[in-house]
């Protein structure tokens, strides 16, 4: 069934222009028949169009739906007391254009209370929107088993916002975004996203493929390209590949969080951030493989009083020789990164294996301290690497540290091992 059968003459005439008439009622009458509805080439305006259970709305090439009102979505797929449960919905082949003054999302999927949207497919292209897609299922994850493909070009707000939902599949291509490209709170879902701005994941147990290929708006020097703020998310080949023109727009490539797993992360491109991992949490995370052409180290920081320098456990698995020049260990490696100024003291934790001293310039004096109650374990190996020269290194007093160097050159790396039988550190 064709939508054209439900349009009046004025609506048909306006459909061949860029200023279409509001056709919401015509769409509703067509969908109410229960038959699949096809939209021919042309321009149509709608507001808050509700999609009934089992409906199919398909656009032919050149079918364009305009958001008629700035404060209402063009399509509102909502399961509630009025519509009941929604399943087997098909929305595909349509280009959506946002209202010039839009404050509302273009396509809204909303499942309220005990009602659900499930086993449905949404595939569309949105341009010049405030937000291309929003999923609201925060109450009980009652948007599930849906396939959602969205291409968004130009968005003034977050291009795609997902609040809840589980066991869904997302395929997203998000370009020319002025705010976040994706803000996602999914659970147990598969998410593939290519974007031209930062993405953040707040859900749990998701499998994620994220590729950042540019920053279309200046996010600020402290931002992170791919942030995880959830639990147990797995990132497969997460990639930050930015052109030279984006140099300096971001500080960090990845922001790991509680039980994050990064499998083969990639940092490439002349404008990619210099620091692989942002210092965002005290929780352990895992890195499996990976490479960085922008920086040859893992960044993990420590300073209990400074949120920018928190201790983090980093578990390295497999071959990470291309990703870090720091020492690795088959189980857990604690990396401490310090950015000391002039004549400072750094304190090394009992579980540390790697210390990165990332000063901005040559240091005249650096004091290195260990916990006063710590009795070193036999065979403890500690690697210390520094970016700039340190004219004088001050170790704790006593024979335990007498064999260690009193100065370090730029880009120096020393491997230290503690031998318990003689109670002394040695450079190996």
């Amino acid at each position: 069934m064709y939508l054209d059968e439900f349009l009046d003459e004025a609506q048909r005439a306006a459909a061949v222009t860029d200023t279409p008439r509001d056709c919401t009622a015509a769409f509703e009458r067509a969908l109410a028949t229960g038959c699949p509805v096809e939209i021919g080439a042309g321009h149509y305006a709608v507001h808050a169009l509700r999609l009934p259970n089992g409906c199919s709305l398909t656009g032919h090439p050149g079918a364009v739906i305009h958001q008629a009102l700035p404060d209402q979505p063009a399509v509102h797929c909502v399961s509630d007391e009025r519509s009941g449960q929604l399943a087997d919905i098909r929305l595909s082949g349509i280009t959506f254009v946002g209202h010039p003054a839009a404050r509302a999302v273009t396509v809204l999927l909303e499942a309220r209370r005990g009602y659900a949207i499930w086993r449905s497919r949404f595939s569309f292209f949105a341009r010049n929107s405030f937000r291309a897609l929003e999923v609201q299922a925060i109450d009980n994850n009652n948007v599930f088993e849906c396939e959602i493909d969205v291409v968004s070009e130009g968005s003034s707000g977050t291009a795609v916002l997902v609040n809840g939902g589980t066991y869904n599949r997302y395929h997203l291509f998000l370009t020319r975004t002025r705010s976040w490209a994706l803000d996602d709170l999914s659970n147990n879902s598969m998410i593939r996203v290519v974007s031209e701005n930062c993405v953040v994941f707040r859900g749990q147990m998701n499998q994620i493929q994220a590729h950042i290929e540019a920053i279309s708006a200046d996010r600020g020097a402290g931002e992170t390209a791919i942030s995880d703020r959830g639990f147990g998310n797995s990132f497969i080949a997460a990639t930050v590949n930015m052109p030279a023109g984006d140099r300096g727009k971001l500080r960090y490539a990845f922001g790991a969080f509680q039980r994050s797993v990064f499998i083969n992360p990639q940092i490439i491109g002349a404008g990619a951030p210099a620091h692989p991992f942002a210092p965002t949490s005290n929780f352990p995370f895992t890195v499996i493989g990976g490479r960085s052409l922008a920086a040859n180290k893992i960044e993990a920081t420590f300073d209990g009083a400074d949120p920018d320098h928190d201790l983090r456990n980093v578990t390295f698995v497999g071959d990470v020789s291309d990703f870090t020049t720091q020492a690795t260990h088959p189980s857990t490696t604690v990396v401490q990164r310090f950015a000391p100024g002039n004549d400072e003291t750094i304190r090394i934790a009992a579980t540390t294996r790697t210390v990165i001293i990332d000063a901005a310039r040559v240091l005249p004096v650096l004091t290195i301290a260990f916990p006063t109650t710590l009795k070193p374990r036999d065979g403890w190996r500690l690697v210390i690497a520094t970016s700039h020269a340190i004219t004088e290194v001050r170790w704790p007093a006593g024979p335990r540290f007498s064999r260690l160097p009193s100065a370090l050159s730029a880009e120096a790396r020393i491997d230290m091992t503690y031998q318990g039988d003689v109670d002394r550190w040695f450079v190996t």
Side-chain angles (χ1 to χ4, degrees):
M1 180 173 293
Y2 285 93
L3 173 70
D4 190 69
E5 300 174 33
F6 298 86
L7 299 175
D8 60 33
E9 289 300 325
Q11 290 170 330
R12 291 191 189 96
V16 299
T17 72
D18 288 331
T19 55
R21 291 185 173 232
D22 194 321
C23 301
T24 306
F27 274 83
E28 290 174 344
R29 289 194 300 271
L31 292 172
T33 65
C35 299
V37 177
E38 298 184 32
I39 310 170
H43 296 259
Y44 314 88
V46 299
H47 68 277
L49 174 64
R50 293 180 68 119
L51 301 182
N53 184 58
C55 75
S56 175
L57 187 61
T58 304
H60 286 247
V64 180
I65 291 180
H66 294 253
Q67 185 180 12
L69 299 176
D71 58 350
Q72 293 187 29
V75 170
H76 190 183
C77 181
V78 54
S79 58
D80 57 11
E81 296 89 344
R82 174 182 162 187
S83 62
Q85 309 290 356
L86 298 182
D88 298 313
I89 291 175
R90 296 292 181 269
L91 175 70
S92 63
I94 299 169
T95 294
F96 289 93
V97 177
H99 190 282
R103 303 183 300 275
V105 62
T106 302
V107 176
L108 174 60
L109 311 184
E110 184 178 12
R112 298 176 180 172
R113 294 177 290 279
Y115 296 89
I117 302 171
W118 64 294
R119 205 175 61 202
S120 296
R121 177 175 174 80
F122 305 89
S123 177
F124 61 88
F125 170 53
R127 68 171 187 259
N128 302 332
S129 63
F130 165 71
R131 178 172 297 132
L133 171 72
E134 186 170 321
V135 177
Q136 290 292 345
I138 198 66
D139 288 344
N140 54 5
N141 287 314
N142 47 355
V143 173
F144 60 95
E145 292 187 7
C146 290
E147 189 91 11
I148 301 172
D149 296 356
V150 176
V151 176
S152 172
E153 181 180 273
S155 56
S156 57
T158 298
V160 173
L161 176 64
V162 179
N163 278 322
T166 188
Y167 300 115
N168 296 309
R169 291 176 178 265
Y170 288 90
H171 306 270
L172 309 171
F173 187 81
L174 312 173
T175 66
R176 292 174 49 212
T177 58
R178 293 175 56 189
S179 183
W180 290 96
L182 171 64
D183 190 334
D184 181 271
L185 181 56
S186 294
N187 299 302
N188 297 98
S189 294
M190 299 184 67
I191 305 163
R192 299 176 63 188
V193 55
V194 177
S195 78
E196 288 186 341
N197 222 323
C198 303
V199 295
V200 59
F201 301 91
R202 308 177 193 273
Q204 60 183 357
M205 308 307 292
N206 296 301
Q207 294 186 39
I208 300 165
Q209 291 179 274
H211 185 118
I212 310 299
E213 61 178 16
I215 299 296
S216 56
D218 192 348
R219 298 295 306 165
E223 292 282 7
T224 300
I226 300 173
S227 297
D228 184 15
R229 300 178 188 175
F231 175 83
N233 290 317
S234 296
F235 293 82
I236 304 167
T239 301
V240 178
N241 178 16
M242 291 166 51
D246 283 340
R247 187 185 301 276
K249 287 188 176 181
L250 298 177
R251 180 165 175 78
Y252 305 107
F254 312 115
F257 202 60
Q258 190 169 7
R259 302 297 177 186
S260 299
V261 178
F262 282 82
I263 303 171
N264 198 29
Q266 310 286 319
I267 304 174
I268 52 181
H275 303 292
F277 286 91
T280 53
S281 86
N282 293 322
F283 296 106
F285 65 95
T286 300
V287 178
I288 303 175
R291 68 186 176 124
S292 171
L293 301 183
N296 209 18
K297 65 187 178 185
I298 292 290
E299 169 143 343
T301 62
F302 173 79
D303 182 340
D306 184 348
D308 287 334
H309 298 86
D310 289 333
L311 179 64
R312 252 200 335 237
N313 294 335
V314 182
T315 302
F316 295 105
V317 182
D319 180 13
V320 296
S321 59
D322 290 338
F323 194 71
T324 176
T325 59
Q326 310 310 325
T328 62
H329 189 267
S331 58
T332 298
T333 298
V334 176
V335 182
Q336 289 181 251
R337 173 187 173 274
F338 301 91
N342 196 13
D343 191 13
E344 291 190 18
T345 298
I346 64 172
R347 300 187 181 278
I348 297 176
T351 53
T352 298
R353 292 184 181 273
T354 300
V355 176
I356 299 171
I357 303 170
D358 195 3
R361 56 184 178 79
V362 174
L363 294 177
V365 177
L366 182 69
T367 301
I368 298 178
F370 289 77
T372 56
T373 58
L374 172 66
K375 178 176 176 55
R377 58 192 180 278
D378 185 53
W380 182 8
R381 184 184 176 197
L382 184 64
V383 176
I384 297 181
T386 180
S387 58
H388 287 73
I390 303 173
T391 305
E392 180 184 356
V393 179
R394 296 177 180 173
W395 300 93
R400 181 179 293 174
F401 301 92
S402 61
R403 299 292 184 92
L404 300 179
S406 59
L408 292 173
S409 60
E411 304 297 333
R413 170 193 170 111
I414 59 171
D415 286 17
M416 303 161 44
T417 302
Y418 175 76
Q419 295 184 11
D421 56 343
V422 295
D423 189 22
R424 186 163 294 182
W425 283 94
F426 294 89
V427 176
T428 55

